[in-house]
Amino acid sequence: VSTQSTGGFNVWNICAVIDELGFSTFPKSDSPFNGTTISLFIETEKQLDQGSKKFKMYDDLLTPVEGIRQISIGENCVVLEAEASVISYDDVIGLVNKTMSRQPKAVKPKQPYKWITEVELTDLDHSSRRLLVAIQGMSCATCVNAIETNMIKVNGVKSIRVNLVGEKGEIEYEPDILSSHEVAEMINSLGFVCTVIQDGKHSGYSELVVHITGMTCSSCTNSIERTLLSLEGVKEASVVLTTEMGKIHYDNNVIGVRTILRSIRDAGFSVEIPSKDTKMEALSHRKTINSWRLTFVLCLMLAAPSMIIMYVVPAQKSVITGLKLKPFLLFVVATPGQYIGGRKFFVTAWKSIVHKSANMDVLISLGGLISYLYSVAVLLYSLLTLRTGPTEVFFEVSLMLYTFVSLGRWIENIAKGQTSAALSTLLSLQAHNAKIVTLVPGTFDIQSEETIEIEQVEKGDIVKIVPGAKVPVDGIVISGKSSVNEAMLTGECMPVKKVKDSTVMGGTINAQGMLLVRATHVGADASLAQIVKLVEEAQISKAPIQQLADTISGYFVPVVVGLSLLTFIVWEILGHMEVLTDEHYSHEEWALLAAISVLVIACPCSLGLATPTAVMVGTGVGAQNGILIKGGDPLETTHKISICVFDKTGTVTLGRPIVNKVAQVNHEVSQLVAIAIAGTAESASEHPLGKAVTNHAKQLLDVEQLGTVSNFINIPGKGIKCTVTNIRHLFLPNGGPVIANEYEVAIGNRALILEDGITLDTPTETLMQEYEDCGHTAVLLAIDGKLNSVLTISDPIKKDAASTMELLSSWGIKVFLLTGDNIRTAQSIAREAGIPKERIFAGVLPKQKVSKIQSLQKKYKTKVAMVGDGVNDSPALVQADVGIAIGTGTDVAIEAADIVLIKDSLFDVPVAIDLSRVTVKRIRMNFVWALLYNILGIPIAAGIMKPWGVTFKPYVAAAAMMCSSVCVVLSSLFLKTYKKPADVQRSQDRLQQKLRAIKRTAERSLDKLKRKKKHSNETMEGRVYMLQSLSSSEEV
C-alpha cells in the first residue's frame, strides 16, 4: 500500500479497516515504505497541548533527528511523521522507545491501543519490578494489614498485595533502591516467613531452576556460570554452592533446555531439574498443616493431664504448707506448655507489637499469658503467706486455650488447602514425560524415539502421543487422527476430533489414535501454564468488598483489648457492690475470667477469611468450567452488569467465511463435480473467500488434495480464471459422474462473468439479490464459458448465539451488537441472533468502539460488559466495566479482558455472570456470619447473659472462636458444588436436541437415497456425498 498521511488518514487507518473485516493485518516492520511517510501514533493518558511538558520533550528530542518531518498533537496521542527514504521504520521505533525511557515518571497505559500503532512499547517505568513471594505465618486479616501497611512505607516499595488464604504476595519495587532479598527479609522481620517465588527481573525470558551436584568450591560455580553465559540466548546464570542450585534466564526462541543441561554435563557436573511437588505442597498448605497438627498434639498431651488433675486430685491435699498439690501439678504441666503451645503465638504477637500492628495472635497471647501469670502470682502468694485455704488457679485455661486455637488453625489450614484444589488440579494435569521422536526425512516414519522429562521439551520437537496418554505440550498435529478429551481445561465433556494441522493443548488426554505433534509452546508459554498463571494472579487479587474487612481489622484488636479491660473493671465494680456474685469464684477471679474470654472469643480471622476464601474457590470453580476470572474485582463486578455488548466478527459469528449454499443454474456439470472444480480452482488463491470454497470442497469430498490448477490469473476486485485438470481420482471408481479431462473456469463477481460475455438471467439476478440482502456474498461459477452455480459465502452465526441472547434478555440484561460491518450485514446477523435492530451499532471503527461503550455507560448509568475476540476490540474491553474475551481470540484481547472464556461458547457469558452472583452472595453470607459472631459472642463472653446462667469460660470461648473461622472457610468451600443455572442447562439441552434432530433427518435421507441405488444419476450422487458429509459433521 502506498499512502500519504494526509487529512489524518494513513496506513494504520487502512489496517484498522481490514482488521474490522475479520482479518489480522499490520505493516511489515522490514518494509522501508520508500517514497511514503511513516506515521506513528503514540498514545497518551490525556489530551496534550502545545505547552505540555510531555509534548515539549518529544518535540525537543525527536524533531532535530534527520528524517523526522514533524511532531503534532492528535486525539489523546502524539503523531510522529517521518520520511521513509531518510530514516527506517525500525529506527523510528527505537527513537520513540529511547525517548519514552527518559520520562522520569511516565505511567504505562492499562492497555496500549494496538490498532493505531505497532510500536513495541517498552515499559515506560523502567525503575519498577514485580516480585512474587510466598508468605507463611499469617493468621488473619490483621496480619495482611500489618504487612501491607509496613511495607508500603518502605522506600522503594511502590505497591503490595497480600493474599491471606493463598499465602502469597505481589510486590512492585524499585531494584535501584531494594533487592528482592531485602524485600523478603523485611517481611521476615515482621514475624513471618517469606521466600521469593519469582522476580520479574528478566521479563520476556524463561527461567530454569536446576539442581547441580559435583561442585566442590567457588571455582566450580564460576566455571558453570561462564559456560552458561557463553551460550547464545542465555541472559543470566547464577549458581549457589551451598544449596547446589542454579537459576538461568534464557530466551527459549534461541536456546532450549536440553542444550543448557548438556552444557553443564559437558563441564563435568551432574544436573537435574527439581520436582514440581514443592508448588503442589505449598498449594495444599501441607507444611503449615503438619506444623499446626504437631502443635495441637503436643498441647493436647499437656491439656489432657491438666483436666484430669482438675477433676481427680483433691483440692485440700498439700505438698508443703502454703503449697497445695493440685495447683502445683497444674503449674508443672502448664509451664512447658507456655513454650510448646504458646511460643508460636508469642513470637508473632511480639513482632506485630514492635511494628505497631496488633493481630489475632496478640489476643491469644494476652489471654494465655494473663491466665498463666495470674496463676503463678496466686501460687507464689499462697506459698509466701503459708496460706492453708484452697488456692484457685487457672493454669489449665492457657493450656486449653492453646489446644483449641491450634486445633482450629489445623482444621482451618486443611480447609484452606481445599480452596486451592482447582489450582492443584490444574497443576496435576501436566504430564511428567514426553516421547520425542526423530522422523525419516521427507516422511512421517519414526526413525528413533526418546522419553525425556517434560521440562526438557523444546519448541519444534516432534512429540509422539499414544492413545490414553496426556498431551505433554501445546502443538500442531502433523500426522495422525484422534479424538482428544479437553474437559479438564475447557469443561467441554465431548471429545474433540483432531486431524492434521489441528492444535492440541498440554494437559488434555488423547482418547484414541496415535498423534505426532510439533511443539509450538513449551514451559511458561504453554496454555496450561498461562491458565495456572491467570488463576494464581486472580487469587492474589482482592475484591473491593475486602476493603471493609481490612478497615475493620485495623481497629479490631485495640478495640477488643479495650473491651476486655472494660469488662474487668465493670465486674470488679459489680463485685465490690456484691451484684451478680459467683458461687464458684471470687469477684476478682470472675472479672479476670470474663476479661480473658473477651480476648479469646473475638475473631478477626473470620472477617479476614470471608472474602479471599470465596474468591479463591470462585475463581477455581470458574477455571474448572473454562472461565478464567482475573481477580476479585471482576468477580464482584460481573453480576452487576445490565448491558452486554457483543462484537460481531469472531464473537457472535464464527469469524471465518464458509460456503452456505450452492445453487445450480445449469446442470451440464453435476453439483458435486462443480464443487470439486471450484475448490480446485480456488486452491491457488490466497483470498479468504477462495479458501472457504476450497475448504468446503475438501470437507465434502473428504480429501486432503484436490485437482491441478494451471493458467491461473487473479483479477483484482473481480475474481480468478484458470484451467482445472486431474479431478477424476476424487470420485468413485464405478458409477460415478462423468469427468472431463479439463475445465476452463471463471469464479468471481458479476463484473468478471459479464466480462466473459456470459449473461445473467432474471432468476439468477433475483437469487443473488436475495442472498445479498441477507448479508451473504454471492459468488458466480462459470465452467467452460457457461454459468453453472451461484455460491453463497458468509461468516455464519454461532450455533449458541441466539440461545445466549435470549437467555440474557430473560435475565433483564440489554444486549447490543457492535460491528464495523455495514448496516445490512449487521441487521442480518442481529435478526438471526435475536438482537433488536435499535440496539445495533454498525460501521463503527475500532477507536469509535470505545466511545460507544462510554456512551452506554453514561446514558444508562450502569455496568457495561463487552464481549470480543480481536485486536480491535481491546480498547473497548478495557473501557467496559467488565471485558470478556473469547479464548480463541487474539492474545491482545485476552490480555485486555477481565474474564477469558477458554471455550468458544457464548453460553459461558451467562454462566460467568451467574458464578459472580453466587460468589458475591457467599462473600456477603460470610461477612454477615463473621460480624454476627463477634457482635453476639463478645457480649456473651463479657458476661452479659450471666443473670440467666449463660457464661463462657476462656476455653469455651476459644472453641467458639475456632468454630467461627472454620465455618467461614467451609461456607466458601460450599461454592465447589456450583452448577450451571438451570435455564442455561435447559437452553444447551434444547440446542443439542435440535442439532441431533437435524442429524437424524440427514441420516434418514441418506439411507433412503442409498436404498434407491440411483448412483448413475450425477445429481443424486452429489446429494449422497453431501448428506454423508452432513451426517458425519461434528457441527451440523
mmCIF file of all heavy atoms in Angstrom, residues 758-784:
data_model
loop_
_atom_site.group_PDB
_atom_site.id
_atom_site.type_symbol
_atom_site.label_atom_id
_atom_site.label_comp_id
_atom_site.label_asym_id
_atom_site.label_seq_id
_atom_site.Cartn_x
_atom_site.Cartn_y
_atom_site.Cartn_z
ATOM 1 N N ILE A 758 -20.918 -13.718 -20.586
ATOM 2 C CA ILE A 758 -21.979 -14.571 -20.040
ATOM 3 C C ILE A 758 -23.060 -13.667 -19.475
ATOM 4 O O ILE A 758 -22.786 -12.788 -18.644
ATOM 5 C CB ILE A 758 -21.433 -15.511 -18.958
ATOM 6 C CG1 ILE A 758 -20.306 -16.379 -19.530
ATOM 7 C CG2 ILE A 758 -22.547 -16.368 -18.374
ATOM 8 C CD1 ILE A 758 -19.598 -17.213 -18.488
ATOM 9 N N THR A 759 -24.277 -13.865 -19.895
ATOM 10 C CA THR A 759 -25.388 -13.038 -19.413
ATOM 11 C C THR A 759 -26.032 -13.664 -18.188
ATOM 12 O O THR A 759 -26.028 -14.897 -18.024
ATOM 13 C CB THR A 759 -26.445 -12.881 -20.510
ATOM 14 O OG1 THR A 759 -26.916 -14.175 -20.905
ATOM 15 C CG2 THR A 759 -25.876 -12.134 -21.710
ATOM 16 N N LEU A 760 -26.560 -12.816 -17.328
ATOM 17 C CA LEU A 760 -27.261 -13.274 -16.121
ATOM 18 C C LEU A 760 -28.748 -13.070 -16.336
ATOM 19 O O LEU A 760 -29.208 -11.932 -16.560
ATOM 20 C CB LEU A 760 -26.791 -12.487 -14.898
ATOM 21 C CG LEU A 760 -25.306 -12.564 -14.572
ATOM 22 C CD1 LEU A 760 -24.985 -11.693 -13.351
ATOM 23 C CD2 LEU A 760 -24.874 -13.989 -14.320
ATOM 24 N N ASP A 761 -29.520 -14.160 -16.260
ATOM 25 C CA ASP A 761 -30.955 -14.030 -16.449
ATOM 26 C C ASP A 761 -31.604 -13.464 -15.195
ATOM 27 O O ASP A 761 -30.980 -13.351 -14.131
ATOM 28 C CB ASP A 761 -31.583 -15.372 -16.843
ATOM 29 C CG ASP A 761 -31.264 -16.470 -15.833
ATOM 30 O OD1 ASP A 761 -30.921 -16.146 -14.673
ATOM 31 O OD2 ASP A 761 -31.343 -17.661 -16.199
ATOM 32 N N THR A 762 -32.877 -13.135 -15.289
ATOM 33 C CA THR A 762 -33.588 -12.503 -14.175
ATOM 34 C C THR A 762 -33.656 -13.392 -12.946
ATOM 35 O O THR A 762 -33.430 -12.911 -11.822
ATOM 36 C CB THR A 762 -35.018 -12.119 -14.627
ATOM 37 O OG1 THR A 762 -34.910 -11.246 -15.761
ATOM 38 C CG2 THR A 762 -35.766 -11.417 -13.500
ATOM 39 N N PRO A 763 -33.970 -14.707 -13.052
ATOM 40 C CA PRO A 763 -33.990 -15.557 -11.841
ATOM 41 C C PRO A 763 -32.652 -15.576 -11.107
ATOM 42 O O PRO A 763 -32.611 -15.567 -9.874
ATOM 43 C CB PRO A 763 -34.339 -16.940 -12.392
ATOM 44 C CG PRO A 763 -35.076 -16.667 -13.661
ATOM 45 C CD PRO A 763 -34.421 -15.451 -14.243
ATOM 46 N N THR A 764 -31.553 -15.584 -11.875
ATOM 47 C CA THR A 764 -30.226 -15.596 -11.228
ATOM 48 C C THR A 764 -29.971 -14.283 -10.502
ATOM 49 O O THR A 764 -29.463 -14.268 -9.370
ATOM 50 C CB THR A 764 -29.126 -15.835 -12.275
ATOM 51 O OG1 THR A 764 -29.380 -17.073 -12.950
ATOM 52 C CG2 THR A 764 -27.763 -15.890 -11.610
ATOM 53 N N GLU A 765 -30.315 -13.160 -11.154
ATOM 54 C CA GLU A 765 -30.152 -11.850 -10.511
ATOM 55 C C GLU A 765 -31.004 -11.760 -9.247
ATOM 56 O O GLU A 765 -30.556 -11.252 -8.207
ATOM 57 C CB GLU A 765 -30.548 -10.738 -11.483
ATOM 58 C CG GLU A 765 -29.519 -10.425 -12.545
ATOM 59 C CD GLU A 765 -28.376 -9.583 -11.997
ATOM 60 O OE1 GLU A 765 -28.319 -9.357 -10.768
ATOM 61 O OE2 GLU A 765 -27.513 -9.167 -12.800
ATOM 62 N N THR A 766 -32.229 -12.264 -9.328
ATOM 63 C CA THR A 766 -33.124 -12.243 -8.159
ATOM 64 C C THR A 766 -32.559 -13.086 -7.029
ATOM 65 O O THR A 766 -32.590 -12.688 -5.853
ATOM 66 C CB THR A 766 -34.512 -12.774 -8.547
ATOM 67 O OG1 THR A 766 -35.026 -11.984 -9.631
ATOM 68 C CG2 THR A 766 -35.473 -12.698 -7.367
ATOM 69 N N LEU A 767 -32.027 -14.268 -7.389
ATOM 70 C CA LEU A 767 -31.434 -15.160 -6.388
ATOM 71 C C LEU A 767 -30.249 -14.501 -5.697
ATOM 72 O O LEU A 767 -30.118 -14.536 -4.462
ATOM 73 C CB LEU A 767 -31.000 -16.461 -7.057
ATOM 74 C CG LEU A 767 -30.475 -17.579 -6.146
ATOM 75 C CD1 LEU A 767 -31.580 -18.070 -5.213
ATOM 76 C CD2 LEU A 767 -29.926 -18.730 -6.974
ATOM 77 N N MET A 768 -29.378 -13.870 -6.486
ATOM 78 C CA MET A 768 -28.212 -13.197 -5.914
ATOM 79 C C MET A 768 -28.630 -12.052 -4.996
ATOM 80 O O MET A 768 -28.045 -11.861 -3.925
ATOM 81 C CB MET A 768 -27.315 -12.665 -7.034
ATOM 82 C CG MET A 768 -26.632 -13.737 -7.858
ATOM 83 S SD MET A 768 -25.585 -13.058 -9.159
ATOM 84 C CE MET A 768 -24.307 -12.282 -8.188
ATOM 85 N N GLN A 769 -29.662 -11.300 -5.420
ATOM 86 C CA GLN A 769 -30.121 -10.183 -4.609
ATOM 87 C C GLN A 769 -30.663 -10.663 -3.269
ATOM 88 O O GLN A 769 -30.449 -10.040 -2.227
ATOM 89 C CB GLN A 769 -31.193 -9.401 -5.361
ATOM 90 C CG GLN A 769 -31.577 -8.083 -4.700
ATOM 91 C CD GLN A 769 -30.406 -7.116 -4.612
ATOM 92 O OE1 GLN A 769 -29.669 -6.931 -5.583
ATOM 93 N NE2 GLN A 769 -30.210 -6.524 -3.443
ATOM 94 N N GLU A 770 -31.373 -11.793 -3.264
ATOM 95 C CA GLU A 770 -31.914 -12.355 -2.025
ATOM 96 C C GLU A 770 -30.777 -12.712 -1.057
ATOM 97 O O GLU A 770 -30.856 -12.439 0.143
ATOM 98 C CB GLU A 770 -32.745 -13.604 -2.333
ATOM 99 C CG GLU A 770 -34.076 -13.323 -3.010
ATOM 100 C CD GLU A 770 -34.819 -14.602 -3.337
ATOM 101 O OE1 GLU A 770 -34.289 -15.686 -3.017
ATOM 102 O OE2 GLU A 770 -35.920 -14.517 -3.915
ATOM 103 N N TYR A 771 -29.742 -13.333 -1.619
ATOM 104 C CA TYR A 771 -28.608 -13.716 -0.765
ATOM 105 C C TYR A 771 -27.901 -12.486 -0.207
ATOM 106 O O TYR A 771 -27.518 -12.436 0.963
ATOM 107 C CB TYR A 771 -27.612 -14.567 -1.562
ATOM 108 C CG TYR A 771 -28.136 -15.938 -1.935
ATOM 109 C CD1 TYR A 771 -27.731 -16.560 -3.116
ATOM 110 C CD2 TYR A 771 -29.019 -16.619 -1.109
ATOM 111 C CE1 TYR A 771 -28.189 -17.810 -3.477
ATOM 112 C CE2 TYR A 771 -29.493 -17.881 -1.459
ATOM 113 C CZ TYR A 771 -29.077 -18.474 -2.643
ATOM 114 O OH TYR A 771 -29.544 -19.704 -2.973
ATOM 115 N N GLU A 772 -27.711 -11.493 -1.060
ATOM 116 C CA GLU A 772 -27.003 -10.288 -0.632
ATOM 117 C C GLU A 772 -27.804 -9.491 0.390
ATOM 118 O O GLU A 772 -27.232 -8.853 1.284
ATOM 119 C CB GLU A 772 -26.668 -9.431 -1.852
ATOM 120 C CG GLU A 772 -25.566 -10.048 -2.715
ATOM 121 C CD GLU A 772 -25.411 -9.370 -4.056
ATOM 122 O OE1 GLU A 772 -26.303 -8.560 -4.414
ATOM 123 O OE2 GLU A 772 -24.414 -9.651 -4.753
ATOM 124 N N ASP A 773 -29.125 -9.541 0.271
ATOM 125 C CA ASP A 773 -29.967 -8.867 1.262
ATOM 126 C C ASP A 773 -29.840 -9.510 2.634
ATOM 127 O O ASP A 773 -30.098 -8.862 3.661
ATOM 128 C CB ASP A 773 -31.441 -8.896 0.820
ATOM 129 C CG ASP A 773 -31.692 -7.945 -0.355
ATOM 130 O OD1 ASP A 773 -30.856 -7.049 -0.561
ATOM 131 O OD2 ASP A 773 -32.712 -8.115 -1.041
ATOM 132 N N CYS A 774 -29.461 -10.773 2.659
ATOM 133 C CA CYS A 774 -29.254 -11.489 3.931
ATOM 134 C C CYS A 774 -27.837 -11.299 4.463
ATOM 135 O O CYS A 774 -27.463 -11.925 5.457
ATOM 136 C CB CYS A 774 -29.538 -12.979 3.752
ATOM 137 S SG CYS A 774 -31.254 -13.363 3.381
ATOM 138 N N GLY A 775 -27.059 -10.463 3.779
ATOM 139 C CA GLY A 775 -25.700 -10.217 4.249
ATOM 140 C C GLY A 775 -24.693 -11.221 3.747
ATOM 141 O O GLY A 775 -23.561 -11.261 4.227
ATOM 142 N N HIS A 776 -25.058 -12.057 2.776
ATOM 143 C CA HIS A 776 -24.155 -13.059 2.225
ATOM 144 C C HIS A 776 -23.449 -12.505 0.993
ATOM 145 O O HIS A 776 -23.937 -11.566 0.351
ATOM 146 C CB HIS A 776 -24.910 -14.329 1.846
ATOM 147 C CG HIS A 776 -25.565 -14.995 3.013
ATOM 148 N ND1 HIS A 776 -26.367 -16.099 2.891
ATOM 149 C CD2 HIS A 776 -25.541 -14.718 4.335
ATOM 150 C CE1 HIS A 776 -26.818 -16.466 4.075
ATOM 151 N NE2 HIS A 776 -26.319 -15.633 4.974
ATOM 152 N N THR A 777 -22.310 -13.111 0.665
ATOM 153 C CA THR A 777 -21.597 -12.769 -0.555
ATOM 154 C C THR A 777 -21.937 -13.798 -1.625
ATOM 155 O O THR A 777 -21.766 -15.006 -1.394
ATOM 156 C CB THR A 777 -20.075 -12.748 -0.313
ATOM 157 O OG1 THR A 777 -19.778 -11.780 0.690
ATOM 158 C CG2 THR A 777 -19.332 -12.389 -1.595
ATOM 159 N N ALA A 778 -22.424 -13.341 -2.768
ATOM 160 C CA ALA A 778 -22.776 -14.243 -3.868
ATOM 161 C C ALA A 778 -21.611 -14.326 -4.840
ATOM 162 O O ALA A 778 -21.140 -13.307 -5.360
ATOM 163 C CB ALA A 778 -24.032 -13.751 -4.576
ATOM 164 N N VAL A 779 -21.122 -15.549 -5.096
ATOM 165 C CA VAL A 779 -20.008 -15.787 -6.000
ATOM 166 C C VAL A 779 -20.512 -16.627 -7.168
ATOM 167 O O VAL A 779 -21.191 -17.645 -6.966
ATOM 168 C CB VAL A 779 -18.856 -16.510 -5.275
ATOM 169 C CG1 VAL A 779 -17.730 -16.823 -6.243
ATOM 170 C CG2 VAL A 779 -18.332 -15.656 -4.125
ATOM 171 N N LEU A 780 -20.184 -16.206 -8.372
ATOM 172 C CA LEU A 780 -20.641 -16.893 -9.574
ATOM 173 C C LEU A 780 -19.563 -17.836 -10.084
ATOM 174 O O LEU A 780 -18.373 -17.490 -10.122
ATOM 175 C CB LEU A 780 -20.987 -15.868 -10.654
ATOM 176 C CG LEU A 780 -22.157 -14.916 -10.297
ATOM 177 C CD1 LEU A 780 -22.244 -13.795 -11.312
ATOM 178 C CD2 LEU A 780 -23.471 -15.673 -10.206
ATOM 179 N N LEU A 781 -19.981 -19.053 -10.501
ATOM 180 C CA LEU A 781 -19.068 -20.066 -11.026
ATOM 181 C C LEU A 781 -19.449 -20.364 -12.482
ATOM 182 O O LEU A 781 -20.574 -20.805 -12.758
ATOM 183 C CB LEU A 781 -19.152 -21.347 -10.191
ATOM 184 C CG LEU A 781 -18.459 -22.592 -10.773
ATOM 185 C CD1 LEU A 781 -16.946 -22.367 -10.876
ATOM 186 C CD2 LEU A 781 -18.759 -23.825 -9.918
ATOM 187 N N ALA A 782 -18.521 -20.104 -13.371
ATOM 188 C CA ALA A 782 -18.720 -20.424 -14.794
ATOM 189 C C ALA A 782 -17.730 -21.499 -15.203
ATOM 190 O O ALA A 782 -16.538 -21.412 -14.893
ATOM 191 C CB ALA A 782 -18.528 -19.174 -15.650
ATOM 192 N N ILE A 783 -18.267 -22.537 -15.898
ATOM 193 C CA ILE A 783 -17.431 -23.657 -16.347
ATOM 194 C C ILE A 783 -17.562 -23.782 -17.854
ATOM 195 O O ILE A 783 -18.692 -23.894 -18.386
ATOM 196 C CB ILE A 783 -17.850 -24.969 -15.659
ATOM 197 C CG1 ILE A 783 -17.738 -24.837 -14.143
ATOM 198 C CG2 ILE A 783 -17.000 -26.130 -16.150
ATOM 199 C CD1 ILE A 783 -18.230 -26.051 -13.379
ATOM 200 N N ASP A 784 -16.416 -23.742 -18.517
ATOM 201 C CA ASP A 784 -16.384 -23.837 -19.987
ATOM 202 C C ASP A 784 -17.297 -22.807 -20.642
ATOM 203 O O ASP A 784 -18.075 -23.108 -21.566
ATOM 204 C CB ASP A 784 -16.775 -25.251 -20.435
ATOM 205 C CG ASP A 784 -15.725 -26.282 -20.044
ATOM 206 O OD1 ASP A 784 -14.541 -25.888 -19.902
ATOM 207 O OD2 ASP A 784 -16.077 -27.465 -19.872
#
